[in-house]
Amino acid sequence: MAKTQNKKNTSETSNRKYILWFWKIFGIGLLLIVFMFLLAGWGAFGEMPTFEELENPETNLATEVISSDGETLGKYYNENRTPVRFEDLPQHLVDALVAVEDVRYYKHSGVDARGTIRAVAFMGTKGGASTLSQQLAKQLFHGEGSKNILQRVIQKMKEWVIATRLERQYTKNEILVMYFNIYDFNNNAVGVRSASRIYFGKEPKELKIEEAAVLAGMFKNSSLYNPRRNPEGVTNRRNLVLTQMEKADFITEAEKDSLQALPLKIDYHPESHQSGIATYFRAYLQGFLKDWAKENPKEDGEEYNIYRDGLKVYTTIDSKMQQYAEEAVEAHMKNLQAAFDKQNKKNKTAPFRKISQEEIDRIINRAIKNSDRYRKMKAKGIDEEKILASFDKKTEMSVFTWENKERYKDTIMTPRDSIYYYKSFLNTGMMSMVPQTGEIKAWVGGIDFKYFKYEHVQQAKRQVGSTFKPFVYATAIDQLHLSPCYKLSNTPHTIPAGKHGVTNDWTPKNSGGQYGGMVTLKHALANSYNTVTSRLIDKTGPKPVIDLLEKLHVDTENIDPVAAIALGSVDISVYDMVSAYSTFANKGVYVKPVIVTRIEDKNGTLLYQNVPESKDVISEETAYVTISLMEGVTQSGSGQRLKTTWSPGYYKNLVTGHPYGFTNAIAGKTGTTQNQSDGWFMGIVPNLTTGVWVGAEDRSVHFPGITYGQGATMALPIWGTYMKKVYADGDLDVSKENFERPEELSIIVNCEEYEATEGEGGEDSQISEEIEL
């Protein structure tokens, strides 16, 4: 009996000893864990974020370019991230994320003890232990987890510490929105706003429940659950999210079943610097913003970074008008290129005309040395002979084409042949501006920014042809008080050598060889008679015309004061032409073009506000009379096809959008340069001035004849197609009214009234005698 009792006592003592050891080990382990967490919190395992960093977590925020009607035109970014506020998120998107990633999110303080025990007990088979706060900590402060087990354990402890600090620092909603804004959804979609726009073509608040479930499902692994690459896996993941939402009572079982039955629908809208709307404008704006950033540093002297500081740039561009402009350019240039290619089939020197093989070789060799391929190979120190030889070796490449919607095709050709190929394309520049405010509403710098980087609105300057003539007429009206009804002889006029910078006797001819009789200034401008324009500049002299251009802020550095400028032998940009013409519509007041109205930082603080700049250039009367002259162009002259309601046979696939059938007041001017290298149309209605240029990169690439190669065929159809779309949109307030007549108008613009006055020996009759040429 005593032996039995001793054994029992010995056994109990032994058990107590084991239990005591267990609790000692457990206690030491617990203390060790606490100590490890303290060490992690003190930064012993690596730097921890400071209070200030937790207050302002470092993120790359894209600068957003916003249209005048509130649409996003594009972004500048290292990461395509544009933050949203919590109130901009639909509740079902928040519910979807919580349901699938952290259903106890609103019940814990950053670390979910129950979830952690479950994850340890079941080795993660019944769900992980990471809370949304921990996942945010991971994204913010160390990114992808380490594959080294020890390092991963240390990272996990740091995540727990940071998560609890985040929970003390921010509200639950603030943590959620930070996580939504920082997650990378792939395909240039960083943050839920970019993801919503790229995968579904809409803002987050417009997402449907099933779409929200797709995005919430991507938080597990956006590479694996990529809607473009793995639609089946994404559908399954979406359905799992919907199941979790039903379990969490966010949706009903009936809703879950109906939503899971829906097919996966993705509306992919890629966002990059080379795609989307207003690409040429955004490239120009980029330079504007960089200059602004240099001149307007932050309070600490650091420059704003447009790729990561999350600026909001509010522009004057109207997204609808920009879209209509791009559609008009695409529709017409596709047709025009087809006609151009057809006419080049029998051209032995295609795409060039009227130049020697030696000149062609010079053009191609210059293009080779300006190419990216040449510069890159040269930078690597490759021998010149080997570089040039590489241009004659066939290689795989993607090139621009009008043949499909994507605008590119894969092909095999030599780099030299690709230069010939691109030289054969006609290009364009187009700009629309409100004359009274200077606000630029549409800007199309070319046919495709990805393949044609050279910009034709502000960067390029081309010969303007007869679109220059209104400046000569305006100068003559201002100096001589001429009426649009005043008549001059339509016969050849010679300006002798030595006068107005003329080196040899200069007798310009009319295009088409039409001469004879006395014609009104209005008729002469409408039909672009060079004889009348030469008479006018002979009287005014070229210097006053250049003085007018300078007042209109046209770059005159390379414009010489010679009589030949009257016919448009000068190079001017579309940008300068539109702003100058706008002065005529704005009663003689020049307004500097505006592209940005204001700039805000990521917190909405105003950093820049545009201040309009304007000045009086010519009298309201001179401006109105010039407008009256240009109205004749669309009433009976080279722009008359804007108002006709029938189409000749050859118009069908060439004069895109015809018949236009405009009945409202339109002032305009066509322009065609020598050899049909450049086609222009400038069109004005009371509150919108639009200029269009069309031509090839090289002036030796052009149409063989005037039928296709004139401004009325090359450029005017873009204006007509664009304006038809603009007028069809009831939301746009583009005027169809007459141009406002000055209250005091001493110059007679009605020709019947003018004839009667002249017959009575009025003032204009006297002027006629004085300046008869």
Side-chain angles (χ1 to χ4, degrees), residues 365 368-369 373-374 377-378 381-393 416:
N365 289 334
I368 285 174
K369 294 193 174 182
R373 170 186 285 269
Y374 181 90
M377 294 179 77
K378 196 73 174 175
I382 299 174
D383 180 74
E384 178 85 3
E385 188 176 334
K386 289 182 179 178
I387 295 176
L388 295 178
S390 74
F391 278 83
D392 294 311
K393 293 179 180 178
R416 182 183 297 274

Side-chain angles (χ1 to χ4, degrees), residues 74 134 160 403 449 460 532 550 562 659 722:
Q134 288 174 251
W160 287 354
E403 295 171 6
F449 182 73
V532 172
E550 289 176 348
V562 296
Y722 166 66

